[in-house]
């Protein structure tokens, strides 16, 4: 239910030297909770909406989080044909995941109502990051709403600029100066989520940053609590009312379950709700509706709890030993383990004797039910799963025995292989236990980088890591409809882990794309993709600074007993209290992702987990280096070759040519692709190194200033009485004086050559101050043959006499026709300034 409110409230808090404000009661008033979070000129509208009824048959909490990036927020029009926002950007999806992960555990156990959180970026100044505001705004909207959110949570970013840790650095600082990007989310009491990437960072620095973040998170949580006191709506689930109803009417629900069974006992909710809250009438007020909601929510939660207790006791008593024996099945193959689990759970559901009616069908005189109804079966199954989870957790934390028999720091068998994919430019196969990743790498040109069209400062990406998780990797069927949010999140995590090791464009001017295919999965395929992708990079010959490996850590805590687990697999991830993924080099962390489900994770536990992860990373790196000890020195045979040359930026126009004709001709003639940077760097891409070298030679000839001794094949562009002007290259001509045609006298140049003839010449003189280039003839091209100067002189002797012209060469001091073009001069005069001396 949504009730519009006119209650305006605003609170502000200073975090990291920046003011963050929370305002409610002005925008989106019909949402259950709505707040505008602002810092600088970045502004986010966060809303929370829930359904009053639980989703029928749901066995999970149906929470959805969406982040809507509007391009108008930064004064941009979206790219593409439709000119409107389409599917969420990768940045929006990753931000939505960072909101979901810390708030999902903070709800009453058994709460199954649909909840949707939407964060819309209304304004983005590209100085203050909107992702941090989205996380804080989502928490504040839930706090203001009537939804039973057990928050608040606060979020900050920690960077490292000039060696100093900085809270909430600006986007330009993060993009250009910070070598650490750490996002931390937590409650007033403990951290709940960490996301990090950057240059290799020591464990001590990470711990220091987490401690710094916690102090700022407390201020954000207190500000949200203050806002709720001013404008919050009454919660649908009032814990004081719940305790009162449990105390006074809990026995009524329990007796009804014992007398009529789980399904029929649901009617008691309506009876007690009528008794405690009355019926709604046309005269009812908002307060009456609120009372109805709170009473019904409390009764529903109490009924859910007592149904579970009523079933769990008999299941534990009758099948506790068999469920304990099932915990040893984790050492079996996946198929055998699944078969044992299915057989035992079916046996429990069918044969457990419950001390109350379990279904409508009866047989015999005693009226015993023959078949349990669907609701009772679901509660029996849920009870068996809860008991199994409890037994596994105690086995790990108290008895120090992992389900598959490994030691706490023991890593499953590892196999590494490179060169698996023959046509990829590099590939790596990484297998760890039942997790297997094939990473394939492709090298591309600078033009093939990804254009980024979102509300960040990133415009183009030259290193991309993509992750796929097909259903067969876990032995299931499913739809193949593009990457899911989880796939995008895992791909981004591995990309952060590797990004710091990728060489800069001036050292390795390729676009790099890696695709990690999850072929099998049972525990941390994301960290497996880090390892597989490192193998692919080394196999491709990408000169990475250091190899990177990754490991997934876990924590199981029961009371004061706890154990930190290295290389967790599926069951330990699902049943544990912490999922802690760490990737890095042998000495430093490059990426970290942590989700904590409990509040009792101390600094000591964190320190021990990081140290244990560091040992594991080193062990895995040793295994990887057995497969490929060092980066290959040669690229794959079919990988593109990229050659680089540097020219004077003034010559860029000459290489491009009018309308791009010159660069297109070069690409066509030499079968290459050419990219030109503003600083004069030219990248030449070719699959054949000889073609690339030929293109380089052509560009060098095109941009090189003529020097004495250089030879050219050029076309005669004009003839005069004293010689011919020959085009040496685009924009530069030289003078072939009549005295330099051959060993003899030529009365007139047109006696031996005409405009349009092709000749070979050698540079004899270069006068840069006067812009003069003097040439000497080597040979003339005629009908595919070369005519030597001596033959041309003989022809000149037999030429008919010509009428004298007044045209004479300019005297010294005048600019000659030595060169043309050139935006910076120094390569000869303009083509229209044609003259020459009588000297060669």
């Amino acid at each position: 239910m949504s009730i519009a409110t006119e209650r305006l409230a605003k609170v502000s808090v200073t975090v990291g030297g920046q003011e963050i404000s929370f305002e409610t009661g002005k925008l989106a008033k019909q949402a259950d909770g709505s707040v505008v979070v602002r810092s600088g000129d970045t502004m986010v509208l966060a809303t929370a909406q829930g359904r009053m009824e639980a989703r029928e048959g749901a066995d999970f909490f149906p929470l959805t989080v969406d982040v809507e990036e509007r391009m108008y927020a930064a004064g941009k029009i979206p790219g593409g044909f439709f000119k409107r926002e389409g599917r969420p950007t990768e940045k929006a999806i990753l931000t939505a995941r960072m909101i979901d992960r810390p708030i999902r555990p903070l709800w009453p156990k058994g709460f199954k109502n649909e909840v949707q959180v939407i964060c819309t970026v209304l304004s983005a100044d590209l100085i203050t990051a909107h992702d941090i505001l989205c996380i804080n705004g989502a928490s504040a909207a839930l706090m203001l709403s009537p939804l039973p959110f057990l928050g608040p949570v606060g979020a900050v970013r920690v960077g490292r600029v000039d060696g100093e840790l900085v809270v909430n650095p600006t986007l330009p600082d993060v993009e250009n100066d910070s070598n650490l990007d750490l996002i931390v989310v937590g409650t007033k009491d403990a951290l709940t989520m960490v996301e990090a990437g950057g240059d290799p960072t020591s464990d001590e620095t990470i711990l220091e940053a987490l401690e710094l973040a916690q102090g700022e998170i407390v201020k954000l949580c207190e500000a949200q609590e203050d806002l709720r006191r001013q404008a919050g709506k009454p919660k649908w689930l009032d814990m004081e009312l719940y305790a009162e109803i449990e105390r006074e009417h809990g026995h009524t629900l329990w007796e009804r379950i014992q007398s009529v069974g789980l399904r029929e006992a649901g009617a008691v909710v309506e009876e007690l709700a009528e008794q405690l809250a009355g019926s709604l009438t046309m005269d009812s007020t908002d307060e009456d509706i609120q009372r109805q909601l709170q009473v019904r929510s409390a009764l529903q939660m109490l009924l859910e709890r007592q149904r579970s207790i009523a079933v769990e006791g008999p299941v534990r008593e009758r099948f506790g030993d068999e469920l304990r024996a099932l915990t040893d099945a984790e050492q079996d193959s996946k198929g055998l383990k699944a078969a044992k689990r299915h057989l035992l759970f079916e046996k429990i559901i069918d044969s457990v004797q419950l001390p109350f009616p379990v279904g409508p069908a009866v047989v015999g005189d005693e009226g015993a039910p023959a078949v349990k109804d669907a609701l009772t079966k679901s509660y029996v199954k849920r009870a068996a799963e809860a008991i199994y989870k409890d037994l596994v957790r105690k086995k790990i934390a108290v008895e120090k025995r992992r389900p598959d028999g490994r030691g706490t720091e023991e890593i499953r068998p590892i196999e590494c292989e490179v060169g698996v994919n023959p046509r990829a430019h590099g590939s790596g196969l990484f297998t760890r236990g039942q997790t297997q990743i094939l990473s394939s790498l492709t090298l591309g040109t600078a033009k093939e980088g990804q254009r980024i069209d979102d509300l960040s400062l990133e415009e183009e990406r030259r290193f991309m890591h993509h992750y796929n998780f097909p259903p067969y990797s876990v032995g299931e069927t499913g739809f193949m409809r593009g990457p899911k949010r989880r796939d995008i999140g895992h791909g981004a995590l591995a990309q952060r882990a590797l990004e710091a090791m990728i060489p800069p464009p001036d050292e390795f001017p390729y676009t790099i794309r890696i695709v990690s295919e999850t072929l099998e999965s049972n525990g941390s395929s994301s960290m497996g993709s880090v390892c597989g992708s490192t193998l692919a990079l080394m196999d491709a010959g990408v000169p990475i600074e250091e190899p990177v490996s990754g490991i997934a850590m876990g924590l199981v805590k029961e009371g004061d007993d706890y154990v930190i687990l290295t290389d967790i697999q599926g069951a330990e991830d699902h049943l544990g209290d912490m999922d802690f993924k760490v990737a890095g080099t042998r000495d430093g962390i490059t990426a970290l992702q942590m989700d904590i489900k409990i509040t009792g994770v101390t600094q000591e536990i964190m320190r021990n987990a990081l140290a244990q992860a560091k040992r594991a990373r080193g062990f895995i790196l040793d295994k990887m280096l057995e497969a490929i000890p060092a980066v290959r020195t040669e690229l794959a045979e079919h990988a593109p070759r990229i050659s680089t040359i540097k020219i004077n930026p003034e010559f860029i126009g000459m290489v491009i040519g009018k309308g791009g004709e010159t660069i297109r001709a070069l690409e066509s003639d030499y079968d290459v692709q050419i990219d030109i940077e503003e600083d004069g760097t030219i990248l030449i891409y070719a699959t054949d190194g000889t073609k690339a070298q030929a293109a380089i030679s052509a560009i060098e000839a095109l941009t090189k200033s003529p020097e004495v001794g250089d030879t050219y094949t050029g076309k005669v562009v004009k003839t005069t009485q004293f010689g011919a002007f020959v085009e040496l290259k685009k924009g530069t001509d030289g003078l072939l004086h009549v005295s330099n045609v051959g060993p003899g006298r030529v009365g007139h140049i047109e006696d031996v050559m005409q405009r349009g003839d092709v000749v070979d010449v050698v540079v004899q003189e270069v006068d840069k101050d006067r812009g003069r280039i003097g040439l000497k003839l080597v040979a003339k091209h005629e009908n595919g043959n070369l005519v030597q100067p001596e033959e041309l002189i003989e022809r000149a002797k037999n030429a008919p006499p010509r009428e004298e012209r007044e045209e004479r060469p300019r005297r010294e001091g005048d600019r000659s026709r030595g060169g043309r073009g050139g935006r910076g001069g120094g390569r000869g005069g303009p083509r229209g300034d044609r003259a020459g001396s009588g000297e060669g």
Side-chain angles (χ1 to χ4, degrees):
M1 179 188 67
S2 302
I3 303 174
T5 177
E6 297 297 330
R7 287 179 293 181
L8 293 168
K10 183 176 181 179
V11 298
S12 299
V13 60
T14 301
V15 176
Q18 297 176 344
E19 183 183 52
I20 298 177
S21 66
F22 299 83
E23 183 179 10
T24 188
K26 183 177 180 180
L27 302 182
K29 295 187 290 293
Q30 291 195 50
D32 283 336
S34 126
V35 63
V36 173
V37 191
R38 178 169 181 167
S39 181
D41 282 344
T42 297
M43 188 165 67
V44 172
L45 170 65
T47 62
Q49 188 68 39
R51 293 180 64 90
M52 290 181 288
E53 307 83 14
R55 180 186 287 185
E56 188 69 29
D59 58 355
F60 63 96
F61 173 35
L63 168 70
T64 58
V65 179
D66 294 289
V67 172
E68 298 292 316
E69 289 185 336
R70 302 296 189 223
M71 298 305 287
Y72 61 69
K76 298 180 180 180
I77 294 176
F81 180 79
F82 293 104
K83 295 300 177 186
R84 70 171 296 162
E85 294 84 0
R87 60 165 293 172
T89 65
E90 183 176 299
K91 172 74 173 176
I93 290 172
L94 296 175
T95 302
R97 281 173 55 83
M98 286 194 294
I99 296 170
D100 184 293
R101 284 157 44 203
I103 67 175
R104 184 171 289 276
L106 299 178
W107 297 83
K109 186 176 181 181
F111 186 72
K112 298 295 190 298
N113 299 40
E114 285 187 41
V115 175
Q116 184 177 33
V117 174
I118 301 175
C119 294
T120 306
V121 184
L122 301 178
S123 177
D125 60 11
L126 302 184
I127 296 174
T128 302
H130 64 267
D131 52 2
I132 295 298
L133 300 187
C134 286
I135 301 171
N136 287 300
S139 173
L142 289 167
M143 290 294 292
L144 290 167
S145 77
L147 299 166
F149 176 58
L150 305 178
V153 297
V156 297
R157 171 180 267 106
V158 179
R160 185 172 55 186
V161 180
D162 297 329
E164 297 293 325
L165 294 175
V166 180
V167 176
N168 282 357
T170 64
L171 280 176
D173 283 343
V174 173
E175 188 76 15
N176 303 318
D177 302 321
S178 179
N179 56 11
L180 174 67
D181 186 17
L182 178 70
I183 295 175
V184 189
V185 185
T187 64
K188 290 172 65 175
D189 302 318
L191 303 180
T192 56
M193 190 206 78
V194 178
E195 190 91 22
D199 292 346
T201 304
S202 67
D203 296 0
E204 292 72 21
T205 301
I206 293 291
L207 290 168
E208 183 183 350
L210 296 180
E211 190 171 352
L212 174 64
Q214 180 66 60
E216 302 296 321
I217 286 170
V218 170
K219 293 193 289 185
L220 286 162
C221 291
E222 289 174 346
Q224 294 177 47
E225 289 174 341
D226 185 14
L227 187 69
R228 167 157 181 78
R229 282 191 291 269
Q230 296 181 47
K233 299 174 183 177
K235 294 293 184 182
W236 292 344
L237 182 61
D238 184 293
M239 298 311 295
E240 292 184 2
L241 177 62
Y242 175 85
E244 178 186 333
I245 291 177
E246 182 180 26
R247 187 168 55 251
E248 296 182 2
H249 301 282
H251 63 281
T252 303
L253 273 73
W254 182 260
E255 290 172 357
R256 184 66 64 89
I257 290 172
Q258 299 301 313
S259 62
V260 300
L262 302 184
R263 191 180 68 174
E264 301 302 326
V268 77
V269 171
E270 291 296 327
E271 297 171 12
L272 289 175
E274 178 77 18
Q275 176 184 334
L276 298 173
S279 300
L280 295 177
T281 68
M282 296 299 291
D283 298 323
S284 296
T285 63
D286 286 339
E287 288 73 19
D288 295 332
I289 295 175
Q290 189 64 48
R291 173 70 179 178
Q292 276 267 348
L293 283 172
Q294 290 179 332
V295 168
R296 287 180 180 275
S297 296
L299 287 169
Q300 198 64 50
M301 289 284 292
L302 184 57
L303 176 64
E304 176 81 10
R305 182 185 172 199
Q306 293 204 355
R307 279 170 168 172
S308 297
I309 294 173
V311 173
E312 192 170 315
V315 172
R316 186 184 293 272
E317 181 180 352
R318 169 68 178 80
F319 293 99
D321 292 339
E322 292 181 62
L323 285 167
R324 182 182 298 277
L326 182 63
T327 62
D328 294 329
E330 291 292 336
Q331 301 181 56
D332 298 331
S333 67
K334 186 174 181 178
L336 180 58
K337 178 174 61 178
K340 287 181 178 180
R341 182 184 176 91
H342 176 75
L343 286 171
L344 179 56
F345 276 48
E346 286 297 310
K347 178 182 177 182
I348 293 172
I349 291 170
D350 291 339
S351 61
V352 66
Q353 296 293 320
L354 300 173
F356 49 78
V358 297
V362 297
V363 294
D365 297 334
E366 298 182 6
V371 181
K372 296 181 177 70
D373 60 55
L375 183 69
T376 302
K377 286 182 177 181
S378 70
Y379 273 90
V380 172
K381 182 179 180 182
R382 212 177 301 171
E385 290 173 343
I387 295 167
Y388 179 77
K389 177 179 178 178
D390 180 60
L391 291 170
V392 171
R393 288 175 55 83
K394 287 181 178 176
K395 182 177 183 179
I396 296 171
V398 180
E399 301 173 24
K400 310 299 182 187
R401 291 193 301 131
R402 298 178 74 169
D404 61 358
R406 282 183 292 146
T408 56
E409 294 197 46
E410 185 178 347
I411 299 173
R412 289 171 291 174
I414 292 175
E415 295 179 9
C416 302
E417 188 178 345
V418 295
V420 177
N421 189 335
R423 291 302 298 178
H425 301 149
S427 59
L429 181 66
F430 179 82
T431 307
R432 184 190 60 238
Q434 292 177 317
T435 296
Q436 186 179 66
I437 308 292
L438 174 62
S439 294
S440 299
L441 181 147
T442 308
L443 297 174
T445 67
K447 291 181 179 179
E448 295 178 287
Q450 181 183 6
R451 183 186 171 204
I452 305 300
D453 191 22
D454 61 14
L455 299 181
S456 70
L457 295 181
E458 187 180 17
E459 296 180 352
E460 194 169 46
R461 187 174 296 166
R462 62 179 284 264
F463 171 60
M464 298 161 281
H465 180 272
H466 297 148
Y467 167 100
N468 294 319
F469 191 89
Y472 64 74
S473 65
V474 287
E476 298 175 358
T477 59
F479 293 111
M480 297 291 288
R481 292 176 177 171
K484 301 179 178 62
R485 291 190 170 196
R486 178 179 179 274
D487 299 1
I488 291 171
H490 281 12
L493 176 60
Q495 179 164 318
R496 282 197 303 275
L498 298 165
E499 205 152 22
M501 298 296 109
I502 301 298
D506 56 348
E507 294 181 16
F508 193 73
Y510 289 86
T511 293
I512 305 168
R513 179 181 184 240
I514 304 176
V515 179
S516 290
E517 303 285 357
T518 306
L519 307 181
E520 292 183 63
S521 180
N522 184 9
S524 190
S525 53
S526 63
M527 292 297 95
S529 71
V530 171
C531 301
S533 298
T534 297
L535 293 171
L537 285 163
M538 298 175 72
D539 182 49
V542 179
I544 57 176
E545 292 185 22
E546 294 182 70
V548 177
S549 65
I551 190 68
M553 311 294 294
L555 171 73
V556 178
K557 191 172 186 294
E558 287 286 328
D560 294 332
D561 292 308
Y562 75 88
V563 63
I564 299 169
L565 305 175
T566 296
D567 181 25
I568 57 173
Q569 54 185 2
E572 294 166 333
D573 184 8
H574 175 66
L575 303 176
D577 298 316
M578 179 175 72
D579 180 15
F580 192 14
K581 300 182 177 75
V582 189
T585 63
R586 200 176 294 277
D587 299 318
I589 296 169
T590 57
L592 184 150
Q593 187 180 91
M594 178 177 68
D595 293 296
I596 303 173
K597 305 170 189 175
I598 59 174
T599 59
V601 178
T602 62
Q603 280 275 338
E604 179 190 0
I605 292 177
M606 288 290 296
R607 191 179 303 277
N608 291 340
L610 286 171
Q612 202 164 309
K614 185 176 181 179
R615 293 192 291 272
R617 293 201 316 269
F619 175 83
I620 295 172
L621 276 174
D622 291 338
K623 292 290 185 180
M624 292 164 58
L625 294 177
E626 290 177 7
I628 180 167
V631 174
R632 297 197 192 282
T633 56
E634 294 288 334
L635 300 182
E637 181 182 351
H638 43 276
R641 263 52 179 182
I642 299 184
S643 304
T644 306
I645 61 171
K646 189 77 174 283
I647 65 171
N648 188 328
E650 295 178 354
F651 297 166
I652 291 176
M654 182 185 299
V655 178
I656 294 174
K658 184 178 180 180
E661 62 178 359
T662 305
I663 193 171
R664 285 199 300 270
L666 289 168
E667 290 180 327
S668 176
D669 292 345
Y670 300 103
D671 193 21
V672 297
Q673 180 180 325
I674 301 173
D675 288 339
I676 305 178
E677 307 291 342
E678 292 182 358
D679 64 352
T681 301
I682 299 182
L683 304 176
I684 299 165
Y685 307 89
T687 54
D688 187 336
T690 58
K691 292 180 179 179
Q693 192 55 50
I696 290 174
S697 299
I699 293 172
E700 287 176 340
L702 190 64
T703 58
K704 177 179 176 292
S705 298
E707 297 178 2
V708 174
D710 290 346
T711 59
Y712 292 91
T713 298
K715 183 182 292 186
V716 175
V717 293
K718 184 179 179 182
T719 60
T720 67
Q721 183 177 346
F722 51 83
F725 289 101
V726 179
E727 184 180 57
L728 305 180
K729 59 183 181 179
K730 203 76 171 176
T732 302
D733 298 343
L735 173 63
L736 174 60
H737 195 268
V738 288
S739 62
N740 288 326
V741 171
R745 179 171 174 74
V746 175
H748 198 286
I749 195 69
E750 292 183 353
D751 292 340
V752 293
M753 63 185 64
Q754 302 290 328
R755 183 176 179 179
D757 287 345
V758 178
V759 294
D760 293 338
V761 294
V762 61
V763 178
Q764 269 200 328
E765 175 194 9
V766 177
D767 188 341
K768 294 183 179 178
D769 294 334
R770 299 165 62 190
R772 182 168 60 188
I773 302 173
L775 307 175
K776 182 177 180 179
L777 182 68
V778 175
K780 179 186 176 186
H781 294 250
E782 286 185 0
N783 300 320
N785 299 315
L786 293 178
V787 179
Q788 299 303 312
E790 292 80 4
E791 183 178 342
L792 295 176
I793 294 297
E794 290 299 321
R795 292 181 186 177
K797 292 177 181 178
N798 301 322
R802 293 178 180 270
E803 184 179 345
E804 290 290 330
R805 299 188 200 174
E806 293 297 324
E807 185 177 18
R808 296 187 53 173
R810 293 178 182 170
R811 297 182 180 276
E812 188 169 331
D814 295 335
R815 290 186 62 82
S816 76
R817 154 74 181 160
R820 64 187 174 88
R823 290 176 289 174
R827 297 179 357 220
R831 169 166 283 178
D833 202 12
R834 294 191 172 102
S837 70
E839 302 173 0

